[in-house]
Amino acid sequence: MDAAGGRSTAFGVYVKRALWLFSGFGGRLVLPALAVVLAIAALWWILLDRLEREERLLDLTVHEKTAVVARLVEEHAISTFRRVDDLLLDLIANTERNRAMRLDARRAFEEGLVVGVRVYDAAGLLTMGGGRATFQGSVTERDEFRIARDSAPRGLVIGMPYASSETQDILIPVSRRLEKGDGTFAGIAVADIPVESFVRYYRVLGLPPDGAAALLRADGVIIARNVGSNNLSGRGTANSELWQAVKQNPIGHLRMVSPVDGVERILAFRSAPDYPVIAIVGESVETVFGPWRDNARLYIGWAVATTVVILLFIVAFIVELQWRRHTDRALRVRNRALAWSNDGIMIADATQPGMPIVYVNPALEKLLGTPMSGLMGSGALTALERATNDRAALQPLRDAIVVGRDARVELARAGDGPEDLRCLELSASPVRDHDNRLVSLIATVRDISEHKRAQAALTDARREADLANVAKSKFLAAASHDLRQPVQSLMLLMEVLSGRVTDGMTRNVLGTMERALGALKMLLDGLLDVSRLEAGVVVPEVEVFALSEVMDRVAANSRSVAVQKGLILHIVPSRAHVRSDPMLLGRILQNFVENALRYTDRGRILIGCRRRGGNLRIEVWDTGIGIPADRQDDIFQEFVQVGNASRNRDQGLGLGLAVVRRLSVMLGHSVMVRSMPGQGSVFSVEVPLAPSPPAKALNPALVPRPAFATTVLVIEDDGIVREGLRAMLAEWGYTVLAAESCAEALDLANCGPPPDLIVADYRLRDGRTGTEAIREVRLALGRILPGILVTGDTAPARAQEAEAGNFRVMHKPVIAADLRRAVAEALEPLLRERQTVA
């Protein structure tokens, strides 16, 4: 159906072109075009006909010449073999009568036609020899002996050419059969003919240098050739195209590439009727047709050049006519488009005083509310002022016309009522000639009232969205603080209880409570990460670092969970260095591993790397439940989970991969996933490779308990959280000073043992903050104490305050292990100082 439609369309195009030829400009071009076509056709017909006749004449000439020379070669071969045959018959007759025979007196020996004769008995033993001893060796395996013994031929047998043992000349053995009285085989008589006797004759035949004259046996073996006989005598051609033609016709011609030297020739061949030989003569196609081809190329090149010149003139003439037709058509289309355009168009003559209007379209009449008769002939600026009644708004247009540049102004035109006010946009372009003189002014007027109203509505919507975003940030900050306070209290108390409870049933209950608190903390952390990323608070700090550090940290955080589930967590070591943010990249990998741990019940989890050009692909493999192909894009959205229809909190909340997607976009790393349901998944992230930086000194390992007496000042207004922090820090071996306000913290710092570290909540009583408390304690003691601000407030300002005050921020709820590590890291400089003093 489509093919038929395409043919119909093409036929319609051809019909239109044919109709054009006989109408308008095309009608006047028909006769000249036909005359040119006929002239070009006649030129090519005469040229090709002449070249074809010349080619036929050359082909006929070479056929006749090679046929004549082939006949001469055949007659020479027949004459030669007849004389040798007579010699062999006399030799056989004298041998049978046991009579001696003078060989040197025979003309064949005198003329060098035969250089030696040999007679062998039935056992192949030499019984008589004359002339040069040309052959040494056994004759029983040679053609002339085997054929005479096995086939009983009645004529000459031409053997395979061989090299003379004395002179290394190539000789052709010609033999006849010896028979006993009863007709049985009695031996052979052989005459050796030098190949050179044939070659001398072939050289005087007048063949060109690349011409060929050769003599073949009846089985296609070359026995003599005008060129290269020493190397080619004895070579077979039975499988060639020539041999197939000879078997079909004893006399004929053939054009082929020689299997001997690879030259294409026109060959004439003749099979001798009385002797088993074939005469072949050929002339090279290049020699015969080379000059003709050169002339043909010259003639064809001249004809092509003539044709191209004629066609170029014709095409140029037609293009000129077509350009005129298209110009006229484009002018009509432009005028029609200008007339039907929704934008008002005006053209004014700048060479006349007042710049009178010379063209307006109907849309301009409607936009300006002035009829065409009132616009034509009047000044452009005057007409615009009269329509808009706003001379000041047109001042930029006047200034642009003076300097000759484009201008764009917005005008307001009043309607019948206050709601009919229309906003117009005027765009004007002055036109100058080659002498840079202003010749005309082209202006377009567009109604942008709807655009202005939409722009105003968009501005209002954006302002409302900004207010809503601010309100959301405030709500998240307040809700995060209020939710994290009780969770933090529970986690601290759980840490204290877990070290003191020994009853098995009670520890099981504590374990269940710990998992519930872990799920709640996971939800709060996920919401915090998403809100911080949406607010743009997280700023990547890109640096070059060893990937092994990040992978080891991920393994340390995840190995205990893998052991609990009975999974194998294996990390392939890598010495690569990458360019990224180590904390954010670690969060991506941690989320990948946590996702794999949640959805893998048996098997293993593998973390490894692959090089991809200048990037390193970090892959996390698992043997979990897998992800269907149609859900692999959805899992990177918030609160989307696969295989957790019951919303089991042990399998996460669907925020980890959403954080991964946002972090990867922020870092410019591509994240990919491959998965098969029931077989597992592969999550990967590509990071750029970097050269190894200079080695950094490693931080000393943290000791589980302080080596020296260390005092920690805790400032927390919530009594439960304060008591939990005090008990947990005391359990870790620290001396704890607990205060519920900034004033009490100052009293404890001045009266009690001087604190070495401050752990403070952000929101304290009387509108005070933990940031202020840390600063005032530092001022009271006269030294910069390390500080940790533990808060449930997720506002970006907390991070900025921590950076300005040189202390750390941790968001509630804080895991005991994380807090213990943070306290040890904050006290590490003090520990090193005391160890140095000691």
Side-chain angles (χ1 to χ4, degrees):
M1 189 69 182
D2 295 339
R7 288 194 295 269
S8 176
T9 303
F11 178 75
V13 172
Y14 295 146
V15 170
K16 290 181 180 178
R17 292 179 178 177
L19 293 176
W20 172 81
L21 286 175
F22 294 96
S23 63
F25 289 111
R28 295 194 293 272
L29 292 176
V30 171
L31 292 179
L34 288 177
V36 172
V37 170
L38 290 176
I40 294 175
L43 171 67
W44 280 97
W45 183 82
I46 294 171
L47 175 63
L48 297 178
D49 180 67
R50 177 179 176 179
L51 294 176
E52 184 181 2
R53 284 188 286 108
E54 290 180 353
E55 184 180 16
R56 287 201 304 268
L57 179 60
L58 288 172
D59 188 66
L60 179 61
T61 301
V62 74
H63 274 64
E64 293 176 351
K65 180 179 178 181
T66 53
V68 170
V69 178
R71 187 174 184 84
L72 294 175
V73 171
E74 179 193 24
E75 291 175 351
H76 175 266
I78 292 173
S79 174
T80 301
F81 289 121
R82 183 179 293 119
R83 293 168 62 186
V84 174
D85 195 15
D86 293 341
L87 175 63
L88 291 176
L89 289 174
D90 290 346
L91 178 62
I92 293 172
N94 289 299
T95 301
E96 290 175 350
R97 296 184 180 91
N98 293 322
R99 292 190 302 181
M101 179 179 177
R102 287 195 62 186
L103 296 175
D104 55 355
R106 300 297 294 263
R107 289 186 58 189
F109 275 90
E110 292 177 354
E111 296 175 358
L113 182 61
V114 176
V115 297
V117 294
R118 293 167 282 137
V119 178
Y120 297 90
D121 61 10
L125 297 177
L126 181 66
T127 59
M128 190 272 287
R132 295 203 305 264
T134 58
F135 180 78
Q136 300 292 331
S138 174
V139 75
T140 57
E141 299 300 326
R142 292 192 56 81
D143 290 348
E144 56 267 25
F145 188 86
R146 287 189 292 101
I147 293 174
R149 180 187 61 194
D150 301 335
S151 303
R154 294 302 175 186
L156 282 178
V157 176
I158 302 174
M160 187 70 70
Y162 70 93
S164 170
S165 59
E166 293 182 354
T167 62
Q168 298 300 315
D169 294 335
I170 304 300
L171 304 177
I172 304 171
V174 180
S175 64
R176 267 190 173 274
R177 173 186 171 99
L178 297 178
E179 296 180 349
K180 299 178 181 179
D182 57 357
T184 58
F185 177 66
I188 62 172
V190 183
D192 294 319
I193 304 173
V195 172
E196 186 63 25
S197 64
F198 292 97
V199 175
R200 285 196 302 268
Y201 178 75
Y202 298 159
R203 289 173 181 169
V204 299
L205 294 177
L207 292 174
D210 54 356
L215 194 64
L216 277 65
R217 293 197 316 182
D219 58 355
V221 175
I222 300 174
I223 58 178
R225 193 173 185 272
N226 63 331
V227 178
S229 291
N230 291 342
N231 298 325
L232 299 176
S233 296
R235 179 172 175 178
T237 61
N239 295 326
S240 66
E241 181 182 356
L242 170 64
W243 186 246
Q244 302 301 324
V246 170
K247 289 195 298 184
Q248 295 178 3
N249 298 299
I251 301 175
H253 283 83
L254 181 66
R255 181 170 175 169
M256 62 170 287
V257 176
S258 172
V260 175
D261 54 12
V263 178
E264 185 181 12
R265 292 186 176 90
I266 299 174
L267 302 175
F269 55 87
R270 296 178 65 89
S271 298
D274 299 326
Y275 296 99
V277 291
I278 304 168
I280 299 176
V281 175
E283 286 197 16
S284 169
V285 172
E286 183 62 30
T287 301
V288 176
F289 294 102
W292 172 81
R293 287 174 179 170
D294 294 339
N295 292 333
R297 293 189 188 98
L298 181 62
Y299 296 152
I300 292 175
W302 172 82
V304 169
T306 304
T307 304
V308 169
V309 171
I310 295 173
L311 292 178
L312 285 177
F313 276 112
I314 295 174
V315 170
F317 182 69
I318 294 176
V319 168
E320 176 67 18
L321 293 180
Q322 285 288 86
W323 179 80
R324 292 183 181 180
R325 292 182 69 247
H326 284 299
T327 301
D328 295 340
R329 183 185 303 170
L331 185 60
R332 292 194 299 270
V333 172
R334 185 193 64 182
N335 292 336
R336 185 178 301 173
L338 293 177
W340 288 96
S341 174
N342 291 326
D343 294 339
I345 300 174
M346 175 183 66
I347 302 176
D349 186 0
T351 61
Q352 300 295 327
M355 199 177 298
I357 299 174
V358 296
Y359 174 82
V360 294
N361 67 340
L364 187 66
E365 300 181 66
K366 182 178 179 181
L367 291 173
L368 297 183
T370 305
M372 185 180 298
S373 58
L375 294 173
M376 295 295 293
S378 60
L381 296 177
T382 303
L384 293 173
E385 290 178 5
R386 187 166 55 247
T388 60
N389 196 22
D390 190 353
R391 180 179 178 82
L394 292 173
Q395 188 60 41
L397 177 60
R398 295 188 183 89
D399 298 338
I401 293 174
V402 172
V403 297
R405 58 178 175 83
D406 295 348
R408 178 183 173 277
V409 295
E410 293 184 2
L411 306 173
R413 189 178 74 83
D416 298 334
E419 298 181 355
D420 296 335
L421 183 66
R422 306 180 72 176
C423 186
L424 306 178
E425 180 187 66
L426 171 66
S427 300
S429 297
V431 180
R432 296 181 177 273
D433 60 9
H434 296 293
D435 297 330
N436 202 28
R437 291 178 301 183
L438 187 64
V439 294
S440 61
L441 177 70
I442 301 176
T444 59
V445 179
R446 177 176 300 174
D447 189 351
I448 58 172
S449 303
E450 290 296 331
H451 174 71
K452 285 293 185 180
R453 284 191 285 270
Q455 195 174 32
L458 182 61
T459 301
D460 295 340
R462 184 182 293 109
R463 183 169 52 254
E464 292 178 1
D466 292 339
L467 294 176
N469 191 41
V470 173
K472 182 196 73 171
S473 299
K474 292 181 178 179
F475 170 77
L476 283 176
S480 177
H481 180 272
D482 294 341
L483 288 173
R484 291 170 186 272
Q485 279 293 95
V487 174
Q488 181 65 71
S489 303
L490 291 174
M491 296 189 72
L492 295 177
L493 295 176
M494 286 287 300
E495 177 66 19
V496 175
L497 286 175
S498 62
R500 299 183 179 182
V501 173
T502 58
D503 179 56
M505 183 176 296
T506 306
R507 293 192 66 84
N508 290 336
V509 174
L510 288 176
T512 303
M513 294 176 63
E514 185 176 2
R515 287 195 299 272
L517 288 175
L520 182 56
K521 180 182 183 301
M522 188 188 306
L523 173 60
L524 293 176
D525 288 342
L527 292 173
L528 173 62
D529 289 338
V530 172
S531 63
R532 283 162 58 84
L533 290 172
E534 282 186 347
V537 177
V538 179
V539 179
E541 297 180 2
V542 178
E543 61 182 73
V544 176
F545 59 92
L547 183 62
S548 59
E549 301 174 1
V550 175
M551 297 178 69
D552 292 343
R553 187 168 67 248
V554 172
N557 294 336
S558 307
R559 184 160 283 116
S560 59
V561 180
V563 172
Q564 291 176 4
K565 297 190 68 173
L567 302 175
I568 299 175
L569 177 61
H570 179 64
I571 297 182
V572 180
S574 174
R575 295 192 298 269
H577 285 70
V578 297
R579 186 181 302 277
S580 182
D581 186 313
M583 297 304 298
L584 300 184
L585 179 61
R587 186 60 188 271
I588 291 176
L589 297 179
Q590 187 69 53
N591 286 0
F592 280 165
V593 175
E594 290 177 357
N595 189 74
L597 289 171
R598 292 191 193 103
Y599 295 98
T600 303
D601 295 330
R602 63 180 182 274
R604 62 188 301 173
I605 297 171
L606 173 67
I607 307 175
C609 305
R610 301 174 186 266
R611 289 183 180 268
R612 289 291 185 271
N615 294 333
L616 187 71
R617 179 182 293 177
I618 310 171
E619 298 179 338
V620 178
W621 295 67
D622 66 62
T623 57
I625 62 174
I627 307 167
D630 57 346
R631 299 295 306 277
Q632 291 181 9
D633 291 335
D634 300 338
I635 60 174
F636 291 98
Q637 304 298 326
E638 289 82 357
F639 301 105
V640 173
Q641 291 179 299
V642 177
N644 189 17
S646 62
R647 303 301 295 178
N648 182 3
R649 295 308 175 201
D650 291 338
Q651 296 186 8
L653 302 161
L655 291 175
L657 294 180
V659 172
V660 166
R661 176 176 61 85
R662 295 169 187 265
L663 290 177
S664 64
V665 172
M666 180 185 301
L667 294 172
H669 303 336
S670 58
V671 172
M672 292 159 287
V673 58
R674 305 191 309 273
S675 183
M676 291 285 292
Q679 298 183 15
S681 305
V682 182
F683 287 86
S684 60
V685 57
E686 281 196 6
V687 296
L689 286 165
S692 302
K696 298 180 180 179
L698 298 177
N699 292 330
L702 297 178
V703 294
R705 298 182 67 85
F708 299 93
T710 307
T711 302
V712 179
L713 175 59
V714 175
I715 309 174
E716 172 64 63
D717 60 340
D718 189 302
I720 299 177
V721 176
R722 183 173 64 253
E723 180 59 25
L725 282 172
R726 188 200 62 75
M728 185 171 58
L729 289 170
E731 191 76 18
W732 294 342
Y734 298 103
T735 301
V736 182
L737 302 176
E740 64 176 351
S741 64
C742 181
E744 186 178 351
L746 289 173
D747 292 340
L748 291 176
N750 291 324
C751 299
D756 300 305
L757 172 68
I758 304 174
V759 178
D761 185 22
Y762 180 73
R763 294 186 180 180
L764 302 175
R765 294 183 179 180
D766 301 326
R768 305 298 298 275
T769 65
T771 304
E772 297 173 351
I774 293 175
R775 184 170 57 249
E776 292 184 9
V777 171
R778 287 175 174 177
L779 290 175
L781 297 178
R783 57 191 179 96
I784 302 299
L785 293 177
I788 298 176
L789 188 67
V790 182
T791 177
D793 191 346
T794 62
R798 304 293 82 78
Q800 297 173 359
E801 292 178 7
E803 183 177 359
N806 192 22
F807 54 82
R808 183 171 180 175
V809 173
M810 300 185 72
H811 291 280
K812 297 178 181 179
V814 179
I815 298 176
D818 293 341
L819 180 60
R820 186 173 188 177
R821 189 180 303 110
V823 170
E825 290 176 356
L827 291 172
E828 185 178 347
L830 177 62
L831 177 63
R832 288 200 300 268
E833 180 182 350
R834 291 183 177 179
Q835 288 176 345
T836 303
V837 173

